[in-house]
Amino acid sequence: MNISVLIPAFNEEKKIGEVVRKLKAQGYGDVVVIDDGSEDKTGIVAEKEGAKALYHVINRGQGAALKTGIKYCLRNGADIIVTFDADDQHSPEEISKLVEPIINGETEICIGSRFLKNTTNAPFVRRLFLRGGALLLSRMYKLNLTDSHNGLRAISKSAAEKINLTADRMEHASEILEQISKKNISYKEIPVTIRYTEYSLNHGQKSWDAFRILYRMLFRRLIR
Amino acid sequence: MVEAISVIIIIFALFAWSRALLRFKDKKIKGSEFSFWTLIWLSVLVLSLNPELAGLISFKLGIERPVDLVVYSSVLLLFYLNFRIYVKQEKTEQEITELVRELALRKK
Ligand SMILES: Nc1nc2c(ncn2[C@@H]2O[C@H](COP(=O)(O)OP(=O)(O)OP(=O)(O)O)[C@@H](O)[C@H]2O)c(=O)[nH]1
Ligand SMILES: [Mg+2]
C-alpha cells in the first residue's frame, strides 16, 4: 500500500522542516507539501527535508491546497492519502492508527478526533467552538462525529476519487463531511492528540473565524 | 409639462441603454442580459414620461407615495445586482484556483 502524507501549508517555515523530518523518521517516504503562496520559505524548507513541494503561486486556501495535493497523490499512485497539519500539532506516530482500518478494508475514510478520548489541551473557547461545530455538522449531515474540523485524516483512494472539493478555504472541512454523507462513504473516527502550543495559537486561526466559515458555508449553499 | 428632473432621468436612461446595446453588439453580454436592461430602462423611461402611472401603480400596490415605489424597487434591484456580482465573483475565484492548481501540477 502506497501511503502519501499530504500537508497543506501557509507560512510555516518555522515548523515545516521539523514536521517533515518526524514523518520521514516514522517511515513515511512520500510527503507532499503544498506551499500555498507562502511569503516565507515553507516550500524550500520542506524540500530540503526530502518532501515533494508543490507551489500555488498565490494563496488559495487550505481546501484548494488539499484538492491540488489529492490530485497529485492520486496521479502518483497513492492508495491512502493522509492529511496532516504543518504547524506541528499532530503526532506522526498516530498515523498508523488511522491507516490501519483502511488497510483492513474496514472503512474508506478515518477522521481524527481530539474529543473522542479528550486527547487535546485546547483552550476553553476553542473547545466550545469545535464542539459546537461538530454538533451542528453532525445534525446537518446525519453523521456521528465528535470532531468535525480535524486536519488529521486518512483517505482511501476510493474515497478520494469520490470526494470533489469545491470550497477553497476553510469551509472544505464541512464540505468533506457533506460528501461523506451524500455519497455514502464509510467513515470512522479515531482518537488523535492535538497539541496546542503558543505557536499554533498565535499562528493559526482565531475562534471568531468560525463565524466567517459558517457564513461562507451558508452563502455557498445559497448560490449553488 | 415635463419637469427638468424628468429630462435628466430620460437622458440618463437613454445613455445607459445605449451602453447596454453597445456591449450587446460587442457580445460582452448575453441576449437575456440585454433584454433585462432594456426592460429596466424602458420602464424608467415610461414612468418618467408618465409620472401619473407611478401614482397608479403605487396606489394599486398599497404604497402611499409614488416616490416610495421608486425607492423600494431601486433597493430591490440593487440587492439583486449585488447578489449577481457575488455569484460571478465566486465563479471567477474558482477559475483562478483552477489556474493556480494547474500551474502547481505542471511545474515538475
Ligand atoms: N494551503 C493552505 N494551508 C493553510 C492555510 N491556512 C492554514 N493552512 C494550513 O492548515 C493547517 C492548519 O491550519 P490552522 O490555521 O492551524 O487551523 P487548524 O489547525 O484547523 O486550527 P486549530 O488547530 O484549532 O488552531 C496548517 O498546516 C496550516 O499551515 C492556507 O491559506 N492555505
Ligand atoms: Mg493549527
Side-chain angles (χ1 to χ4, degrees), chain A residues 8-10 12 34 36 59 61-62 65 85-87 89 114 126 149 170 196 200 204-205:
Chain A
F10 178 56
E12 302 277 11
I34 312 295
D36 192 18
N59 180 260
Q62 201 191 45
D85 278 2
D87 53 4
Q89 286 185 280
R114 69 203 104 182
R126 185 63 57 97
H149 285 76
M170 293 301 182
Y196 283 81
S200 87
Q205 312 187 72

Side-chain angles (χ1 to χ4, degrees), chain B residues 1-101:
Chain B
M1 178 61 210
V2 180
E3 295 183 43
I5 180 71
S6 303
V7 175
I8 294 173
I9 292 175
I10 290 165
I11 292 175
F12 180 76
L14 286 173
F15 168 76
W17 182 76
S18 72
R19 294 291 100 181
L21 180 65
L22 281 180
R23 293 191 54 207
F24 177 57
K25 276 189 171 164
D26 289 349
K27 297 207 168 71
K28 292 259 165 61
I29 55 174
K30 283 179 280 184
S32 57
E33 280 174 287
F34 178 60
S35 328
F36 169 77
W37 285 114
T38 302
L39 193 73
I40 295 287
W41 296 122
L42 198 66
S43 35
V44 169
L45 213 65
V46 169
L47 279 181
S48 45
L49 284 171
N50 311 286
E52 62 285 0
L53 206 60
L56 197 72
I57 297 173
S58 54
F59 176 73
K60 287 252 153 110
L61 288 174
I63 299 169
E64 235 166 76
R65 298 187 308 166
V67 184
D68 288 344
L69 173 71
V70 175
V71 173
Y72 292 162
S73 39
S74 306
V75 168
L76 277 181
L77 182 67
L78 287 176
F79 258 115
Y80 170 69
L81 291 178
N82 197 38
F83 179 74
R84 267 208 343 199
I85 291 176
Y86 264 123
V87 173
K88 220 168 226 173
Q89 157 110 3
E90 194 71 24
K91 202 174 147 237
T92 312
E93 293 259 346
Q94 296 233 316
E95 285 166 353
I96 294 173
T97 300
E98 207 40 58
L99 201 66
V100 169
R101 174 167 303 127

Side-chain angles (χ1 to χ4, degrees), chain A:
Chain A
M1 286 261 181
N2 283 327
I3 300 173
S4 290
V5 180
L6 171 57
I7 309 179
F10 178 56
N11 290 345
E12 302 277 11
E13 66 175 5
K14 289 209 186 77
K15 290 285 176 188
I16 189 73
E18 191 184 335
V19 170
V20 173
R21 206 176 317 131
K22 283 188 196 165
L23 285 165
K24 293 263 173 184
Q26 284 291 316
Y28 298 102
D30 284 328
V31 179
V32 179
V33 173
I34 312 295
D35 179 339
D36 192 18
S38 299
E39 284 138 26
D40 64 9
K41 298 203 165 60
T42 299
I44 296 169
V45 175
E47 278 174 348
K48 244 181 220 155
E49 296 295 339
K52 167 76 192 173
L54 296 183
Y55 295 86
H56 277 182
V57 287
I58 49 175
N59 180 260
R60 299 311 296 160
Q62 201 191 45
L66 282 176
K67 187 169 175 177
T68 301
I70 288 172
K71 209 166 173 181
Y72 176 84
C73 291
L74 287 177
R75 275 187 193 174
N76 286 278
D79 297 307
I80 298 174
I81 301 167
V82 176
T83 63
F84 203 87
D85 278 2
D87 53 4
D88 202 26
Q89 286 185 280
H90 298 162
S91 309
E93 314 86 70
E94 295 183 340
I95 291 179
S96 57
K97 287 196 296 182
L98 283 104
V99 169
E100 220 167 80
I102 296 180
I103 295 179
N104 296 341
E106 210 180 300
T107 186
E108 291 180 275
I109 183 162
C110 282
I111 302 167
S113 169
R114 69 203 104 182
F115 298 121
L116 208 56
K117 293 238 166 79
N118 200 11
T119 39
T120 186
N121 61 339
F124 177 72
V125 177
R126 185 63 57 97
R127 223 173 248 275
L128 210 65
F129 273 87
L130 288 166
R131 286 283 197 163
L135 212 64
L136 183 75
L137 291 173
S138 293
R139 280 276 168 89
M140 269 174 79
Y141 300 128
K142 304 200 170 52
L143 299 171
N144 196 359
L145 292 174
T146 58
D147 195 355
S148 51
H149 285 76
N150 200 307
L152 185 48
R153 314 175 187 87
I155 308 169
S156 66
K157 185 178 164 198
S158 66
E161 281 166 347
K162 282 183 219 165
I163 290 172
N164 178 27
L165 295 177
T166 61
D168 284 348
R169 311 228 163 248
M170 293 301 182
E171 316 85 74
H172 74 276
S174 54
E175 199 183 19
I176 290 180
L177 300 182
E178 182 186 351
Q179 299 203 4
I180 286 178
S181 168
K182 294 219 170 110
K183 298 182 178 168
N184 274 320
I185 298 169
S186 57
Y187 67 97
K188 187 177 180 190
E189 258 192 334
I190 308 282
V192 296
T193 316
I194 309 283
R195 268 186 314 276
Y196 283 81
T197 59
E198 205 162 323
Y199 173 87
S200 87
L201 287 170
N202 291 329
H203 196 77
Q205 312 187 72
K206 303 283 169 275
S207 294
W208 305 119
D209 289 338
F211 291 113
R212 208 189 47 229
I213 295 171
L214 185 65
Y215 159 74
R216 285 197 47 87
M217 215 179 99
L218 296 176
F219 182 73
R220 290 177 53 84
R221 304 194 110 203
L222 193 68
I223 66 172
R224 229 176 318 154

